[in-house]
Amino acid sequence: MADDSIAVVDLDRCQPDRCNYECANFCPPNRSGKECIVTREERFGDEPYEGGPDQIHISEDICLGESCGICVNKCPFDAIEIINLPQELDDDPVHRYGENAFALYGLPAPQEGQVTGILGPNGIGKTTAVRILADEMAPNLGQVAGDPPGWEAIMDEYRGTELQNYLEELRAGDVTVARKPQYVDQIPDQFDGTTRELLERTDERGALSDLIERVGIGPVVDQDIDTLSGGELQRVALVACLARDADFYFLDELTPYLDIGQRMTAARLVRELADEEDRSMLVVEHDLAILDLLADTIHVAYGSSGAFGVITSPKSTKNGINEYLGGFLENENMRIRQESITFEEHAPRQTAEGDVVVEYPDLTKSYGDGEFSLEVEGGEIQENEVLGVVGPNGIGKSTFAQLLAGRLEPDEGEVDADLDIAYKPQYVEIDQPMRVDAFLASITDDFGTSYWNTEIADPLQLDRVMEQNLTDLSGGERQRVAIAACLSEDADLYLLDEPSAHLDVEQRVRATSAIRRYAENHDATALVIDHDIYMVDLLADRLLVFDGEPAERGHASPPVGMRDGMNEFLANLDITFRRDERTGRPRINKPGSQLDREQKNAGEYYYS
Ligand code: ADP
Ligand code: ADP
Ligand code: SF4
């Protein structure tokens, strides 16, 4: 085949006993007598191999490449990918997991005293790269058969690059690594005991009590880990990583379940370890405002999830994010997306007023003996609009949602509770042992219609998860299924709490437009609580702003336009945004900088 293509077979999907080798029966080289698609037993004989003897192997030497692609279409289980690699990629991969398996090209280069970011989709090889940098896995430079190539060959490959120093230290056995996992929800399955017991084991720098105080988890340190919320677990995991004494820290997503104030604190702690202690920090982050603030340089990762991934050379953070959003990588001369992602520099015009879906009076609600009390100023929510809901965690946003849904009774005031509300909670727990397709079909009769596919399944990229069990989904997959389940209900008001959690940037943008389009086409209203400011900007027509003292008292203003809403919300946080001069992308100002002071004086925090 064209030597710039790869064939990838997903062994979790390939089920020859159910398809009778449709792929091999139709493969043109096979039909002319060549052995392009064979069984793994035929390919490997007595050599060790992954997968079952009956599963298929595709010869990349014989295969005609992506322009043929017949097997890809014939396979009923979507198990095969044939992909032309970008021509610019003339080197061998850094690592390939095996024949017909995922290939990684390029590695990020951690630097002492610097925060290095990685920006890219899930499933693109970020963890693979870190396992190599952490010396948990020797890269095979694509040589999947025989002995691995060894350090000399690896050093030859990277001499004169940004990575040389790092690899030399790694080879000398001098590098220690601390890591924060991506899915903090799984921590309670892996650890039994209190937060303090978990954290004390990590206190290698004597910084533990300071870190606990700064992230605000003091009140929960004596609780059992399995009683913590997602936002608390996220901060515990951050502290557990940063408390270690390592040369190289890898943080796979800092922000899920954290509010903006907590995100800023997390970013500050990571920066301090680089600036004050000269450590190397490598961060994967999908909240672009935070990544922008945090990283000195970034590597963009692109490719095809599960098939191959390319990690670019480092770029300045500003250019890297701009190029990523624009969909074109300049040094690499590579288009990674057809459309660019753009932001409005000025507040969106007030949309024509629609019919009112719900009008609510002033409301109050408190819990227990007034441990927490919420005051809501009356307002109205319109048809066809997406109302962004912003404010810190623990301020009463979910409580307000429950009041609207008629699931909670207010202490004062009354909600006309004749509304059907569909609700996606912040922490998505789906633990029914059921397939995704059966689950979604149980929610709507529209399941599988072309209309439902266009509106919901396609933008949320559900095709590859339909046959999986709900319990086997990754965090990002579970999030997309939960958004789909919410939008598939027949309701007047769709309430989505943090739909961005665990989605990569492109999935966030797709999910955002699916939610927007859905509200518009259904004369429905969506209330979306989110802490990713870019997502709120792309998503919302108006804003509902909460403020107060978390866990003590909350206050909600009536819904207002984007400019007023952003000003009110960001003034509470004391953060201003400027615009990138080339792309109009919002960027957080340095506190106390001239622009920060000017904008605060003018009262323009966002659309300045
Ligand atoms: P990311 O961290 O970007 O989500 P990973 O590095 O975890 O990506 O994985 C990239 C791809 O490599 C995955 O899609 C998976 O299919 C494949 N992969 C990971 N580990 C193995 C392994 N041990 N054997 C074969 N394939 C693997
Ligand atoms: P948000 O959605 O803004 O994070 P919530 O509405 O979930 O905030 O919670 C606001 C406060 O009320 C929190 O301090 C929370 O612990 C408390 N709270 C929420 N539900 C209950 C309840 N059923 N009983 C007692 N306190 C509660
Ligand atoms: Fe055969 Fe390759 Fe065509 Fe698939 S893409 S049918 S393996 S030639």
Side-chain angles (χ1 to χ4, degrees):
M1 97 168 146
D3 21 298
D4 52 359
S5 332
I6 57 170
V8 178
V9 178
D10 186 338
L11 296 174
D12 292 334
R13 291 175 164 268
C14 175
Q15 322 171 48
D17 51 330
R18 291 181 54 199
C19 73
N20 215 6
Y21 296 105
E22 290 276 295
C23 54
N25 294 339
F26 285 89
C27 170
N30 274 48
R31 290 172 73 107
S32 65
K34 296 198 185 116
E35 298 193 327
C36 180
I37 302 185
V38 297
T39 65
R40 293 180 86 78
E41 186 173 37
E42 283 165 339
R43 162 68 185 90
F44 294 103
D46 294 334
E47 293 170 39
Y49 59 90
E50 298 215 0
D54 299 333
Q55 290 187 300
I56 62 156
H57 179 276
I58 301 178
S59 160
E60 289 179 353
D61 292 331
I62 302 175
C63 169
L64 305 171
E66 193 176 325
S67 57
C68 165
I70 289 176
C71 55
V72 177
N73 293 324
K74 288 288 169 196
C75 175
F77 310 113
D78 282 335
I80 305 174
E81 286 192 79
I82 309 282
I83 298 178
N84 285 348
L85 293 173
Q87 277 171 356
E88 291 72 11
L89 218 65
D90 46 15
D91 292 338
D92 289 328
V94 174
H95 189 76
R96 191 152 190 200
Y97 278 111
E99 291 188 23
N100 293 169
F102 180 84
L104 174 69
Y105 294 80
L107 282 174
Q111 307 279 331
E112 259 176 45
Q114 301 249 311
V115 179
T116 307
I118 305 184
L119 171 56
N122 289 327
I124 207 83
K126 299 180 299 286
T127 310
T128 304
V130 168
R131 289 182 60 206
I132 294 170
L133 295 179
D135 207 13
E136 287 175 18
M137 193 172 94
N140 61 18
L141 304 179
Q143 298 168 29
V144 292
D147 292 332
W151 273 114
E152 278 314 313
I154 294 164
M155 292 309 299
D156 276 350
E157 196 74 29
Y158 287 96
R159 213 172 303 282
T161 70
E162 307 265 344
L163 256 180
Q164 182 176 345
N165 279 352
Y166 185 86
L167 291 177
E168 273 165 7
E169 284 175 32
L170 194 64
R171 180 195 196 180
D174 279 350
V175 178
T176 50
V177 178
R179 196 188 298 183
K180 188 200 83 65
Q182 182 178 22
Y183 298 121
V184 297
D185 323 47
Q186 292 164 0
I187 296 173
D189 303 335
Q190 292 149 10
F191 183 85
D192 228 359
T194 66
T195 306
R196 189 185 299 282
E197 283 161 1
L198 182 144
L199 289 177
E200 272 170 356
R201 307 198 305 190
T202 65
D203 188 15
E204 296 170 355
R205 298 190 299 118
L208 186 62
S209 42
D210 181 47
L211 288 169
I212 289 176
E213 192 195 318
R214 290 183 61 191
V215 304
I217 50 170
V220 300
V221 283
D222 290 313
Q223 285 182 25
D224 278 334
I225 281 286
D226 61 9
T227 65
L228 302 193
S229 71
E232 287 159 350
L233 282 174
Q234 187 66 267
R235 285 174 286 155
V236 168
L238 177 70
V239 168
C241 176
L242 299 185
R244 293 209 179 268
D245 185 8
D247 305 301
F248 167 42
Y249 294 77
F250 173 61
L251 299 124
D252 198 350
E253 288 202 87
L254 292 170
T255 59
Y257 312 134
L258 300 188
D259 63 36
I260 296 194
Q262 293 165 338
R263 289 174 188 210
M264 302 280 285
T265 304
R268 209 167 291 133
L269 292 175
V270 171
R271 271 249 57 100
E272 279 177 17
L273 214 50
D275 292 341
E276 292 168 17
E277 306 247 347
D278 247 6
R279 315 285 173 135
S280 308
M281 316 300 288
L282 187 66
V283 179
V284 174
E285 183 50 60
H286 305 298
D287 180 329
L288 295 181
I290 295 295
L291 181 66
D292 190 22
L293 185 72
L294 177 63
D296 294 298
T297 54
I298 63 171
H299 298 264
V300 175
Y302 66 93
S304 171
S305 258
F308 81 102
V310 184
I311 293 178
T312 66
S313 314
K315 298 170 184 285
S316 77
T317 302
K318 178 175 137 175
N319 288 347
I321 296 180
N322 284 351
E323 289 176 21
Y324 185 79
L325 290 173
F328 184 76
L329 305 180
E330 285 176 9
N331 280 347
E332 292 71 18
N333 192 23
M334 168 66 54
R335 179 147 294 286
I336 55 170
R337 194 182 328 101
Q338 285 312 317
E339 334 71 56
S340 67
I341 300 168
T342 51
F343 296 89
E344 304 209 34
E345 278 192 56
H346 303 287
R349 250 173 292 138
Q350 192 83 34
T351 40
E353 299 216 341
D355 290 342
V356 170
V357 168
V358 59
E359 190 173 347
Y360 54 89
D362 291 356
L363 302 167
T364 63
K365 173 76 196 170
S366 52
Y367 290 117
D369 297 328
E371 284 134 40
F372 174 80
S373 61
L374 171 68
E375 256 183 53
V376 178
E377 286 183 59
E380 55 183 42
I381 300 173
Q382 293 160 11
E383 243 176 31
N384 294 334
E385 78 170 338
V386 177
L387 191 59
V389 182
V390 290
N393 283 332
I395 207 78
K397 299 185 299 300
S398 316
T399 302
F400 173 70
Q402 313 268 3
L403 291 172
L404 280 188
R407 293 182 191 170
L408 274 180
E409 279 291 310
D411 302 336
E412 293 169 72
E414 201 174 322
V415 182
D416 170 14
D418 208 14
L419 281 181
D420 286 328
I421 298 193
Y423 180 51
K424 185 205 80 68
Q426 183 175 28
Y427 310 116
V428 180
E429 282 173 22
I430 315 182
D431 45 17
Q432 294 137 286
M434 194 182 204
R435 269 172 45 152
V436 172
D437 46 9
F439 170 64
L440 292 171
S442 73
I443 294 173
T444 175
D445 292 340
D446 290 338
F447 176 81
T449 60
S450 65
Y451 169 78
W452 186 86
N453 285 340
T454 320
E455 297 269 311
I456 293 179
D458 296 347
L460 293 168
Q461 296 166 289
L462 297 182
D463 55 328
R464 290 192 68 83
V465 299
M466 282 296 185
E467 288 155 25
Q468 280 175 354
N469 253 312
L470 290 168
T471 44
D472 294 339
L473 302 180
S474 74
E477 290 165 346
R478 204 175 326 143
Q479 185 70 265
R480 286 180 281 134
V481 170
I483 297 172
C486 177
L487 294 181
S488 295
E489 281 183 45
D490 194 10
D492 309 300
L493 197 61
Y494 295 86
L495 218 151
L496 297 114
D497 197 346
E498 205 176 347
S500 72
H502 294 314
L503 298 188
D504 63 40
V505 174
E506 267 165 64
Q507 292 168 340
R508 286 176 194 204
V509 171
R510 286 210 184 97
T512 304
S513 56
I515 295 167
R516 276 202 71 89
R517 224 187 20 231
Y518 202 81
E520 278 165 22
N521 293 349
H522 288 74
D523 291 340
T525 303
L527 237 78
V528 183
I529 302 172
D530 213 282
H531 302 292
D532 179 334
I533 204 92
Y534 284 20
M535 177 129 177
V536 172
D537 188 350
L538 289 171
L539 183 72
D541 298 308
R542 296 195 300 155
L543 285 182
L544 178 62
V545 181
F546 281 73
D547 63 349
E549 194 55 50
E552 286 176 24
R553 53 181 179 79
H555 163 261
S557 307
V560 289
M562 290 302 288
R563 164 172 262 123
D564 291 343
M566 283 291 201
N567 284 340
E568 186 183 338
F569 170 53
L570 294 174
N572 292 335
L573 284 162
D574 209 29
I575 300 173
T576 59
F577 280 76
R578 68 185 180 286
R579 294 286 162 163
D580 178 72
E581 59 279 9
R582 246 183 68 202
T583 62
R585 169 171 67 86
R587 309 185 69 194
I588 297 177
N589 282 324
K590 268 209 172 56
S593 64
Q594 192 180 346
L595 270 178
D596 183 56
R597 282 181 284 134
E598 279 172 17
Q599 286 182 227
K600 281 177 185 163
N601 281 337
E604 289 291 2
Y605 285 74
Y606 195 74
Y607 300 102
S608 60

